[in-house]
Amino acid sequence: MKLAGRVSQVTPSITLAIAAKAKAMKADGIDVCSFSAGEPDFDTPAHIKAAAQTALESGKTKYGPAAGEPKLREAIANKLKTDNGLDYKPENVIVTNGGKHSLFNLMLALIDAGDEVIIPAPYWLSYPEMVTLAGGTSVIVTTNASTGYKITPEMLRKAITPKTKLFVLNSPSNPTGMVYSPEEIKALAEVIVEADIFVVSDEIYEKILYDGAKHLTIGSLGEKIFAKTIISNGFAKAYSMTGWRIGYLAGPAELIKATITIQSHSTSNVCTFAQYGAIAALESSQDCVQEMLQAFTKRRKVMLEALNSIPGLSCSKPDGAFYLFPDISKTGLKSLDFSSALLEEHQVAVIPGVAFGADKNIRLSYATDMETIQKGMERLEKFVKARI
Ligand code: PLP
């Protein structure tokens, strides 16, 4: 069959493929320790589920507006004001089928053939693929542990050309977990304003912060940067709502209107009753977020100590998200060979860093129970020791 040319330009998501393989092995009765999924292991909080159930029972089962339920758009605008200091009206907000879909809508609405999008590596693996699908060109700027896996203002300035349209900022980051400090965000904002490019701030992990780290939304730094900022966020990570598929995009009204038009011809609205769960997530107590964060904090400590006690591995301490990104280069293995052999020989699933543009690393998610973490770290130690 002759498929469209764009198909050959993208690859299937490695993270989803490995997570699926680990799940299939588990279903076959194999004792797998999986650190592959970017998914909190908690159930969605009961009050969120109850709100969706009530909506379902009261007939919120029909098509809704392509832009999202008005009440949810308003709740999101309020959240962006209260949490992030951003002055958006509901018409600046579109509700999407998850953060991934937010970014996809954005790329389709903003990026033309020939436009360049600057993406710091290590990056979340879908960014470059989305740029490609939109016909644009990704300009990857490689960072490493020496700058804490962060792009510096100098690096950003150097990557900008007359074709640059968008810069992708992801803090806290998947896969490294790093968080840009407020000073670093300010310095990047200056470059963005000066170059007159757009920035999309992917803030899906904004609530998952440790050791007093602060999340500063780049668009809150003044009118000029606000006009160039698009926020992408969602409910999956903070509220353990991965399967609900609800995210949002906020930004200049003209751009949001364009994404609504695109969405109206692709997915129509997001599941109507699910959006009522999202309203409850934003408008009810945030204690559930704190409870999950406490569990992540304990697991992060245990996994980080275990990783750094394995001779040959080294891992910096990230301030956010729920991933660790150790350097495996001393084993002499490339990340895909490392991950495949680890899964085959010791039934431990991790994601090869090459998927994120960093072949010297692997990504481990600690959004899993403590017993799995302990068992998995013992297996990993055996695997690495045999190779060092
Ligand atoms: N952005 C980043 C950095 C992510 O890690 C993810 C999910 O893994 C998303 C966006 C999309 O999340 P979702 O589509 O589940 O809301």
Side-chain angles (χ1 to χ4, degrees):
M1 189 192 296
K2 188 175 178 321
L3 297 174
R6 74 180 70 87
V7 179
S8 61
Q9 292 168 14
V10 291
T11 43
S13 163
I14 300 184
T15 47
L16 294 188
I18 294 182
K21 185 167 179 193
K23 263 188 192 166
M25 285 170 76
K26 267 190 192 167
D28 282 347
I30 301 171
D31 174 23
V32 180
C33 295
S34 183
F35 305 116
S36 58
E39 174 167 44
D41 54 321
F42 311 105
D43 196 3
T44 303
H47 67 280
I48 298 176
K49 292 206 275 190
Q53 271 157 2
T54 306
L56 184 57
E57 275 153 25
S58 66
K60 301 281 186 207
T61 55
K62 305 289 184 194
Y63 289 137
E69 290 294 295
K71 270 190 172 177
L72 179 54
R73 292 174 84 194
E74 197 182 323
I76 292 167
N78 289 340
K79 177 256 176 245
L80 290 169
K81 175 78 189 152
T82 317
D83 285 2
N84 309 105
L86 300 168
D87 271 319
Y88 286 122
K89 298 198 173 71
E91 55 264 36
N92 294 104
V93 175
I94 176 175
V95 181
T96 62
N97 289 279
K100 192 178 262 185
H101 187 223
S102 293
L103 292 158
F104 193 71
N105 276 337
L106 168 68
M107 297 304 172
L108 287 188
L110 193 66
I111 302 306
D112 253 335
D115 286 343
E116 292 179 355
V117 179
I118 299 176
I119 303 174
Y123 48 74
W124 181 50
L125 74 180
S126 294
Y127 298 141
E129 306 290 31
M130 289 176 182
V131 172
T132 302
L133 286 170
T137 305
S138 298
V139 175
I140 306 295
V141 179
T142 302
T143 70
N144 56 39
S146 72
T147 57
Y149 295 110
K150 295 173 184 178
I151 190 171
T152 63
E154 295 72 35
M155 289 160 89
L156 177 58
R157 198 172 283 120
K158 240 176 109 183
I160 294 172
T161 75
K163 291 183 180 168
T164 307
K165 189 79 181 269
L166 179 69
F167 167 54
V168 179
L169 178 67
N170 175 216
S171 177
S173 149
N174 176 9
T176 66
M178 66 77 186
V179 179
Y180 285 93
S181 71
E183 291 68 34
E184 289 162 341
I185 295 282
K186 278 179 204 153
L188 291 173
E190 280 170 22
V191 180
I192 292 160
V193 168
E194 190 187 299
D196 198 24
I197 60 173
F198 287 98
V199 56
V200 59
S201 184
D202 180 349
E203 309 197 343
I204 195 117
Y205 297 100
E206 70 168 332
K207 305 264 182 200
I208 307 176
L209 294 167
Y210 311 99
D211 297 340
K214 294 261 177 302
H215 169 76
L216 176 71
T217 301
I218 193 160
S220 67
L221 288 169
E223 268 173 41
K224 284 186 184 156
I225 187 70
F226 180 65
K228 304 307 286 185
T229 300
I230 303 111
I231 303 289
S232 178
N233 205 333
F235 294 83
K237 316 291 179 177
Y239 301 100
S240 206
M241 292 172 69
T242 45
W244 291 61
R245 310 311 303 132
I246 313 179
Y248 56 92
L249 207 57
E254 188 185 356
L255 176 64
I256 296 303
K257 207 169 151 205
T259 62
I260 296 166
T261 304
I262 290 170
Q263 188 155 289
S264 74
H265 290 298
S266 51
T267 59
S268 300
N269 62 288
V270 173
C271 172
T272 305
F273 53 86
Q275 292 184 60
Y276 286 82
I279 296 170
L282 290 180
E283 294 189 339
S284 309
S285 154
Q286 299 298 297
D287 287 355
C288 56
V289 180
Q290 290 314 312
E291 279 161 27
M292 291 188 234
L293 191 58
Q294 277 170 15
F296 287 144
T297 305
K298 287 187 197 139
R299 296 163 179 188
R300 166 174 164 268
K301 185 170 183 292
V302 170
M303 191 185 257
L304 185 69
E305 281 174 8
L307 283 177
N308 279 325
S309 73
I310 300 175
L313 296 189
S314 63
C315 187
S316 43
K317 189 179 186 184
D319 288 331
F322 39 67
Y323 306 107
L324 294 176
F325 202 59
D327 185 326
I328 54 152
S329 53
K330 287 204 177 128
T331 63
L333 292 174
K334 290 200 180 288
S335 64
L336 195 54
D337 296 335
F338 186 105
S339 309
S340 307
L342 182 62
L343 187 57
E344 284 300 315
E345 293 170 24
H346 293 277
Q347 296 76 50
V348 175
V350 301
I351 307 291
V354 69
F356 311 102
D359 209 8
K360 288 183 182 166
N361 300 72
I362 53 167
R363 189 197 77 178
L364 296 100
S365 158
Y366 49 88
T368 190
D369 62 278
M370 200 66 105
E371 196 194 327
T372 303
I373 292 175
Q374 274 153 348
K375 192 161 58 172
M377 291 302 102
E378 282 164 23
R379 292 181 187 183
L380 178 65
E381 182 167 12
K382 275 193 202 129
F383 176 82
V384 174
K385 272 192 174 159
R387 278 162 177 86
I388 286 284

